[in-house]
């Protein structure tokens, strides 16, 4: 195991005291330290949101991109340099709202990245509007009479979109969460780790206590993680009990393994490019 201090950023998190995202950051650091991934071999990509500030708070390569666009950036980085461990971090608004299309396509491609979504069921950064995972009837700034839409179910969506590792954690249990992230990073293919990460400032319904009263671990129930039908059934369970842990895992060739250029040639990051190659490319597209 590497020292946790190796990943300590000079920038301190600016999250509100008690924000669930602290637990996610700690769990991610624990997971990469356990896996002995050197900071120079790790890229953390995010979109925009409180949760998407995470790459600034870990010492590794980072890319704080545009709202909903973390997955396309991560895809490019991964295809250019398949030796990098690529982790995408963001929020429910970022990934399940504006970025939803990218999320689905990355899963059906089985791109070998790990996607950690800090799901607080609200837009935190923009001060408390309803998000795609806000529960029905939730009163927010943007839904003063309560939301009238059904929430997106990210676990069910991931299962039917081809994700090969689908898990859910709770930032109130960072040890369990670190295990889920570690397994997700080790997994070859697209890994989703959806995390209940309470927003203590704007979501007064889905709090730590709310989840502590409801969550239970699938692993404690003799659950079979290779059974897609059972996983779909479990993905629909919410009240009074909510399952966390690994819903589903399977093995399938990754996009990188199937891509004809990567399969046979040199990854772009190792290709030698002359200035005239670069100029030619720019001239072709600009
Ligand atoms: C294209 C674009 N649209 C809207 C915004 C405004 N915006 C910034 S963050 C955000 C939502 C953040 O919610 P979430 O992804 O759940 O992150 P959280 O702050 O809750 O962690 C929105 C709508 C933006 N920055 N860019
Ligand atoms: S507003 Fe919510 S999500 Fe954002 S830092 Fe504060 S507690 Fe966390
Ligand atoms: Mg959010």
């Amino acid at each position: 195991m590497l020292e946790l201090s190796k990943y300590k950023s000079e920038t301190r998190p600016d999250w509100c005291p008690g924000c669930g995202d602290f637990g996610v950051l700690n769990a991610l650091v624990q997971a990469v330290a356990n896996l002995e991934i050197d900071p120079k071999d790790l890229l953390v990509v995010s979109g925009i949101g409180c949760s998407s500030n995470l790459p600034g708070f870990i010492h590794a390569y980072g890319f704080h991109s545009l709202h909903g666009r973390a997955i396309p950036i991560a895809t490019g980085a991964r295809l250019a340099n398949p030796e990098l461990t690529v982790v995408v971090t963001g929020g429910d608004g970022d990934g399940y709202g504006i970025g939803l299309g990218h999320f689905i396509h990355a899963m059906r491609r089985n791109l070998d990245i790990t996607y950690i979504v800090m799901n607080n069921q609200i837009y935190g950064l923009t001060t408390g509007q309803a998000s795609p995972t806000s529960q029905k009837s939730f009163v927010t700034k943007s839904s003063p009479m309560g939301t009238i839409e059904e929430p997106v179910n990210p676990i069910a969506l991931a299962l039917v979109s081809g994700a090969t590792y689908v898990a859910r954690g709770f930032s109130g249990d960072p040890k369990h969460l670190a295990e889920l992230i570690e397994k997700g990073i080790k997994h070859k293919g697209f890994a989703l780790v959806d995390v209940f990460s309470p927003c203590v400032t704007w979501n007064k319904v889905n709090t730590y206590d709310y989840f502590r009263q409801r969550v239970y671990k699938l692993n404690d129930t003799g659950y079979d993680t290779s059974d897609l039908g059972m996983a779909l059934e479990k993905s629909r369970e919410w009240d009074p009990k909510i399952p966390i842990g690994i819903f589903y895992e399977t093995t399938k060739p990754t996009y990188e393994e199937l891509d004809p250029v990567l399969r046979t040639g040199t990854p772009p990051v190792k290709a030698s490019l002359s200035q005239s190659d670069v100029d030619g490319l720019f001239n072709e597209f600009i």
Side-chain angles (χ1 to χ4, degrees):
M1 188 187 132
L2 297 184
E3 291 281 321
L4 298 182
S5 58
K6 242 182 153 4
Y7 307 92
K8 198 169 165 45
S9 164
E10 283 170 17
T11 312
R12 303 265 311 270
D14 58 357
W15 294 315
C16 308
C19 175
D21 299 351
F22 283 101
V24 180
L25 174 64
N26 291 341
L28 173 60
V29 167
Q30 186 67 61
V32 289
N34 287 351
L35 291 168
E36 303 194 347
I37 300 171
D38 197 88
K40 73 167 176 38
D41 299 322
L42 174 65
L43 170 68
V44 186
V45 186
S46 71
I48 298 293
C50 295
S51 42
S52 287
N53 289 343
L54 189 145
F57 310 142
I58 181 168
H59 177 65
Y61 284 106
F63 199 128
H64 191 181
S65 75
L66 297 172
H67 194 35
R69 305 294 173 238
I71 285 184
I73 304 287
T75 304
R78 182 72 202 150
L79 296 185
N81 184 4
E83 284 172 15
L84 265 186
T85 295
V86 179
V87 175
V88 180
T89 57
D92 41 314
D94 195 73
Y96 304 149
I98 189 169
L100 188 75
H102 301 305
F103 174 50
I104 292 172
H105 289 298
M107 290 190 285
R108 77 180 176 88
R109 291 176 181 141
N110 198 29
L111 197 78
D112 191 2
I113 61 175
T114 305
Y115 188 26
I116 303 171
V117 182
M118 285 156 265
N119 184 354
N120 52 18
Q121 300 170 261
I122 197 139
Y123 289 176
L125 187 75
T126 47
T127 71
Q129 297 80 15
S131 89
T133 52
S134 290
Q135 65 185 47
K136 207 169 172 187
S137 309
F138 190 38
V139 174
T140 69
K141 273 189 182 172
S142 61
S143 57
M145 287 181 281
T147 52
I148 54 174
E149 300 146 300
E150 291 294 335
V152 165
N153 180 333
I155 301 293
L157 193 60
L159 292 170
V160 298
S161 303
T164 48
Y165 177 96
V166 181
R168 179 159 64 201
F170 171 37
S171 64
D173 188 347
K175 192 166 169 279
H176 178 244
L177 179 59
E179 285 167 24
L180 297 177
I181 296 175
E182 186 177 330
K183 285 184 182 151
I185 294 174
K186 259 189 1 205
H187 173 79
K188 206 154 60 66
F190 190 97
L192 170 71
V193 184
D194 179 73
V195 187
F196 295 138
S197 182
C199 169
V200 294
T201 303
W202 300 107
N203 188 337
K204 304 291 185 190
V205 175
N206 308 105
T207 59
Y208 287 98
D209 277 349
Y210 175 95
F211 289 112
R212 277 198 194 105
Q213 283 159 20
R214 288 170 174 78
V215 296
Y216 75 94
K217 291 180 183 142
L218 285 170
N219 198 25
D220 294 341
T221 63
Y223 178 79
D224 176 4
T225 59
S226 68
D227 186 339
L228 182 59
M230 181 58 78
L232 275 165
E233 208 171 291
K234 285 284 170 195
S235 73
R236 301 188 63 224
E237 219 173 276
W238 190 265
D239 253 338
K241 289 289 171 200
I242 309 176
I244 57 172
I246 302 172
F247 282 74
Y248 183 62
E249 54 187 331
T250 191
T251 315
K252 245 175 39 183
T254 64
Y255 188 83
E256 296 88 318
E257 284 170 340
L258 295 175
D259 178 81
V261 174
L262 292 178
R263 199 152 41 104
T264 53
T266 314
V269 78
K270 292 208 171 136
S272 56
L273 284 177
S274 67
Q275 189 57 47
S276 68
D277 290 329
V278 177
D279 291 344
L281 200 64
F282 272 87
N283 289 339
E284 197 179 324
F285 289 104
I286 294 176

